[in-house]
């Protein structure tokens, strides 16, 4: 079958989220053909190019979300509008009828977004949202606002497909006036009512960026109308093309979220310079969009039960939600996992990206108690600081705290002082690769206060290491009964759990063996591919048949032998009457300039490949 893979800031780019997972999915399901529809987030990401794509990727279409320049967006421009543009009109040159349609649809969307209590918009702390119960946030009034939101969203999409010009209209004075009226309407929350004109301009700019997929030229019989199934690899902007493909062509939509997009938005918004009214409006919008995505999806596949709870509280029907754990490569940890040794028996290891959410401060204070009880204990913190000034500043703070808590101690007057806490990077002489990082100690510690699906925990389990973790995100689901779990922000509990394992090597070995067995059963690439192989077939079996005219008789019945068997084999086949002549020696084959190879050989690509 033909799969339309929808990504936002990830595959096929060399950097970004879910890149490795998407690549493993496409390569592992070689019996299917994939069309990639990718949104890029930064110019730097596009400049770094694409990963090498497998042959089953037949087409790649991309669009940037990081620029407001309509000339570089690959937006849909109808013929009627094109003539106006060539004659000097702008993309915002709507006629009276189009302006009236825009006003009607944008008013409906803005009214729904500005409505008070839409999705707990003023929360912004990453906690689980309130349920959409019959008399609470999700009561009858919320259902009415959901209807307004969808009518406005799809109305704007149809206007963009027919006449273009939506980005300019969303940034126009008309749009700001509509937003202002919606914010001042009775029943809106106090935070939204306090929005100023600069707040509304900032929200309109963000709304234009998120709704950019509505204006793309992907919605035709050669684009998303040609695929059998749309698979969105996240919610938000990546799922918007899938919503339109279902509405315009009846293509079923599958949504995979390893971390819930709405929760990620809440967490990210707290650290932005946006004002409280803008954050509230954006949270309301993303909450409404998430509810519509979950409502229209044929199936939703969260990566863990923590994400599943978020999805169900945001409106997803439990019957349509099926947990599929992300697959991870276990081969590179096989030698270490099968080794009976447990590394440094007195050494604790922390592996990951150094940032405030990992709460290394609590870990250092916990280790101070461990060190007081076990003077030979050591702590190795392995990883690099997160990008940006915040990550570098947090690493410097942790180094200073470690130096304060654990002054260098020398064995004698002529010996070099030693510190029981070390900060190391992967790739150095002592830690050449990731497997060696986990081999550096007998116990792996996770001290985070916020997590989704902690990959480092699964890697430690593949290595057969006993673990001590804080109870955040999907930790309990991952660990099961194969490790110790303590409350977050509790150094005393973290220290007691570490001491219990340091003093009991037999228990440490039992937990490590059980952890490895659990990881190999639940978290491998093979189980992930098997799950999606079955899901693809299930969704296609349930979807209505969309026959092409060439394969149907005049009476509506199927035409025998209308489609030759070769049509189902991946690869490029000559058209009738065409022959493929051999290429001269030393010359790139002609097929390399078409389809996937153009993008793979050329590196970066901003348009069709």
């Amino acid at each position: 079958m033909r799969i339309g893979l929808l990504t936002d800031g990830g595959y096929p780019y060399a950097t970004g989220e879910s890149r490795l997972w998407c690549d493993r999915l496409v390569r592992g399901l070689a019996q299917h053909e994939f069309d990639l529809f990718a949104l890029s987030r930064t110019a730097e990401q596009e400049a770094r190019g694409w990963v090498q794509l497998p042959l089953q990727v037949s087409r790649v279409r991309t669009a940037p979300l990081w620029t407001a320049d309509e000339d570089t967006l690959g937006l849909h421009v109808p013929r009627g509008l094109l003539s106006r543009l060539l004659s000097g009109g702008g993309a915002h040159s709507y006629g009276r009828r189009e302006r009236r349609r825009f006003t009607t649809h944008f008013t409906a969307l803005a009214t729904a977004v500005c409505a008070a209590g839409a999705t707990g918009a003023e929360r912004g702390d990453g906690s689980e949202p309130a349920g959409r119960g019959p008399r609470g946030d999700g009561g009858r009034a919320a259902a009415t606002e959901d209807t307004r939101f969808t009518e406005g969203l799809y109305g704007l999409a149809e206007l963009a497909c027919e006449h273009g010009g939506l980005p300019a209209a969303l940034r126009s004075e008309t749009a700001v006036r509509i937003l202002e009226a919606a914010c001042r309407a009775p029943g809106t929350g106090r935070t939204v009512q306090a929005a100023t004109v600069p707040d509304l301009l900032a929200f309109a700019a963000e709304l234009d960026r998120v709704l950019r997929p509505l204006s793309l030229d992907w919605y035709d019989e050669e684009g998303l109308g040609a695929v059998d199934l749309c698979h969105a690899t996240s919610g938000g902007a990546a799922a918007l093309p899938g919503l339109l493909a279902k509405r315009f062509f009846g293509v079923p939509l599958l949504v995979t979220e390893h971390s819930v997009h709405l929760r990620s938005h809440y967490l990210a918004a707290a650290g932005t310079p946006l004002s409280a009214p803008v954050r509230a409006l954006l949270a309301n919008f993303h909450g409404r969009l998430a509810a519509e995505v979950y409502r229209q999806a044929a199936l939703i596949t969260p990566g863990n039960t923590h994400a599943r709870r978020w999805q169900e509280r945001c409106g997803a029907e439990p019957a349509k939600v099926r947990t599929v754990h992300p697959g991870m490569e276990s081969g590179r940890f096989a030698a270490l996992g099968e080794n009976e040794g447990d590394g440094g028996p007195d050494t604790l290891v922390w592996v990951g990206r150094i940032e405030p959410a990992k709460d290394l401060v609590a870990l250092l204070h916990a280790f101070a108690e461990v060190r007081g009880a076990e003077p030979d204990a050591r702590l190795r913190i392995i990883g690099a600081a997160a990008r940006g000034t915040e990550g570098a500043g947090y690493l410097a703070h942790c180094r200073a705290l470690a130096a304060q808590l654990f002054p260098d101690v020398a064995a004698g007057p002529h010996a070099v002082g030693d510190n029981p806490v070390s900060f190391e990077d992967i790739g150095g002489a002592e830690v050449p690769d990731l497997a060696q990082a986990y081999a550096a100690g007998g116990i792996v510690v996770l001290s985070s206060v916020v997590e989704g699906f902690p990959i480092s925990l699964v890697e430690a389990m593949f290595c057969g290491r006993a673990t001590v973790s804080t109870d955040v995100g999907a930790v309990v689901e991952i660990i099961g009964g194969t490790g110790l779990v303590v409350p977050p922000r509790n150094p005393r509990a973290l220290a007691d759990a570490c001491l219990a394992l340091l003093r009991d090597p037999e228990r440490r070995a039992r937990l490590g063996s059980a952890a490895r067995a659990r990881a190999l059963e639940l978290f491998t690439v093979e189980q992930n591919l098997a799950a999606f192989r079955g899901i693809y077939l299930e969704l296609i079996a349930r979807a209505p048949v969309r026959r092409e005219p060439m394969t149907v008789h005049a009476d509506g019945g199927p035409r025998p032998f209308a489609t030759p068997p070769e049509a189902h084999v991946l690869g490029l086949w000559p058209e009738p009457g065409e022959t493929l002549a051999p290429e001269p020696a030393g010359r790139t084959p002609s097929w390399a300039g078409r389809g996937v190879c153009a993008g793979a050989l050329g590196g970066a690509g901003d348009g069709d490949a």
Side-chain angles (χ1 to χ4, degrees):
M1 69 186 72
R2 194 171 187 177
I3 310 297
L5 195 64
L6 313 176
T7 67
D8 176 14
Y11 196 69
Y13 295 103
T15 60
E17 300 173 3
S18 299
R19 173 180 56 84
L20 291 177
W21 176 79
C22 289
D23 192 57
R24 291 167 184 162
L25 179 75
V26 172
R27 294 180 185 276
L29 301 182
Q31 69 271 39
H32 300 306
E33 186 176 3
F34 287 84
D35 290 353
L36 301 186
F37 297 85
L39 302 172
S40 65
R41 292 183 180 174
T42 64
E44 179 185 3
Q45 184 179 54
E46 290 200 355
R48 293 191 176 186
W50 300 350
V51 298
Q52 186 74 23
L53 300 177
L55 290 177
Q56 53 264 38
V57 177
S58 59
R59 291 187 306 168
V60 180
R61 302 180 74 168
T62 67
L65 293 184
W66 46 269
T67 177
D69 183 4
E70 297 183 29
D71 293 335
T72 63
L73 292 177
L75 302 186
H76 172 65
V77 182
R79 290 185 178 180
L81 180 62
L82 180 61
S83 62
R84 280 204 304 245
L85 292 173
L86 294 176
S87 62
H92 58 284
S93 301
Y94 280 161
R96 181 180 302 175
R97 182 178 301 176
E98 289 79 24
R99 289 197 299 271
R100 189 161 53 243
R101 286 179 62 185
F102 173 79
T103 300
T104 300
H105 299 317
F106 190 68
T107 299
L109 185 140
T111 301
V113 168
C114 294
T119 56
E122 298 178 16
R123 182 184 305 106
D125 60 356
S127 59
E128 290 193 20
R132 299 169 69 87
R135 295 184 181 275
D137 277 347
R140 189 173 302 172
T144 302
E145 299 305 333
D146 285 342
T147 301
R148 287 180 180 171
F149 179 84
T150 56
E151 290 176 352
L153 180 69
Y154 294 124
L156 292 176
E158 292 168 359
L159 178 64
C161 287
E162 295 172 13
H163 301 283
L166 186 59
L170 290 173
R171 293 172 176 263
S172 65
E173 181 181 353
T174 300
V176 174
R177 291 184 181 277
I178 292 172
L179 287 173
E180 184 177 22
C183 289
R184 305 290 186 266
T188 56
R190 287 178 297 176
T191 304
V192 171
Q193 286 184 348
T196 63
V197 172
D199 293 333
L200 298 177
L201 290 172
F203 174 64
E206 287 294 316
L207 198 61
D208 167 40
R209 186 186 64 80
V210 178
L211 294 180
R212 197 71 54 75
L214 301 186
S215 301
L216 299 176
D217 58 353
W218 294 354
Y219 313 109
D220 54 34
E221 293 294 343
E222 296 181 357
L224 285 169
V227 304
D228 300 307
L229 172 68
C230 280
H231 186 174
T233 59
S234 69
L240 272 174
L243 288 179
L244 300 191
K246 179 178 181 181
R247 185 173 183 87
F248 295 155
F249 308 105
V251 179
L253 173 62
L254 168 65
V255 178
T256 295
E257 286 187 307
H258 292 142
S259 60
V260 176
H261 182 271
L262 182 59
R263 176 177 180 270
S264 300
H265 170 78
Y266 284 156
L267 294 173
T272 64
L274 297 174
S275 66
V278 177
R279 291 200 303 270
L281 289 168
L282 285 173
N284 275 355
F285 171 80
H286 283 286
R288 297 282 186 206
L289 179 59
E292 175 63 9
V293 169
Y294 297 152
R295 188 161 43 244
Q296 297 300 330
L299 193 67
I300 305 162
T301 55
N304 53 77
T305 55
H306 179 253
R308 178 177 185 142
R309 288 196 300 269
W310 264 83
Q311 291 169 338
E312 291 179 356
R313 298 298 292 273
C314 292
E317 297 179 19
K320 295 200 302 185
V321 183
R322 187 179 307 173
T323 302
V324 179
H325 297 115
M328 298 175 56
E329 292 286 353
S330 61
R332 56 179 169 172
F333 306 111
L336 178 59
E338 295 169 0
N339 189 346
E340 295 183 358
D342 63 350
D346 298 322
T347 302
L348 307 178
V349 174
W350 182 94
V351 180
R353 184 176 61 244
I354 299 175
E355 58 186 350
K358 305 303 182 183
D359 201 8
L360 293 184
V361 171
L363 176 59
L364 290 170
H365 283 289
F367 184 67
E369 298 190 26
V370 171
R371 181 78 172 176
E374 294 289 338
D376 293 332
R378 300 185 63 84
L379 172 62
R380 300 180 68 173
I381 297 175
I382 303 175
R387 289 187 178 182
T389 57
E390 183 182 36
Y394 188 70
L395 174 58
H397 173 69
C398 292
R399 287 181 181 274
L401 179 61
Q404 179 183 352
L405 292 174
F406 311 101
D408 290 348
V409 177
H414 303 291
V416 178
D418 185 28
N419 194 302
V421 177
S422 62
F423 291 83
E424 307 168 51
D425 285 337
I426 296 176
E430 296 186 1
V431 189
D433 56 36
L434 191 59
Q436 290 301 315
Y438 294 105
I443 302 171
V444 175
V445 185
L446 180 81
S447 55
S448 302
V449 294
V450 176
E451 281 286 358
F453 188 90
I455 294 175
S456 62
L457 205 54
V458 179
E459 293 171 340
M461 295 169 69
F462 280 138
C463 295
R465 290 295 183 258
T467 59
V468 176
S469 312
T470 48
D471 186 5
V472 292
V475 165
V476 172
E477 178 185 0
I478 294 173
I479 290 295
T482 67
L484 304 187
V485 180
V486 301
R489 296 189 178 95
N490 192 332
R492 173 66 63 84
L494 192 62
D496 290 344
C498 291
L499 284 171
L501 292 184
L502 284 172
R503 292 168 174 172
D504 193 344
E506 292 184 359
R507 184 186 184 192
R508 195 164 66 231
R510 287 197 309 271
L511 290 176
S513 298
R516 175 168 167 77
R518 178 177 175 83
L520 290 175
E521 179 184 0
L522 298 178
F523 307 124
T524 61
V525 173
E526 291 74 20
Q527 66 82 23
N528 184 265
L529 292 176
F532 279 105
R533 187 178 294 112
I535 287 171
Y536 282 2
L537 295 176
E538 175 187 341
L539 293 182
I540 289 298
R542 285 164 27 189
V545 177
R546 296 183 294 137
R547 292 175 179 162
E548 299 179 4
M550 292 286 293
T551 65
V552 181
H553 268 308
D555 59 2
R559 189 185 214 177
F561 311 110
T563 303
E566 292 84 357
H568 301 286
V569 180
L570 295 181
L572 294 170
W573 296 87
E575 298 292 335
E578 178 186 2
T579 59
L580 296 179
E583 300 289 343
R587 180 179 172 184
T588 302
S590 58
W591 49 262
R594 298 185 290 175
V596 56
C597 299
L601 295 177
D606 296 329
D608 298 353

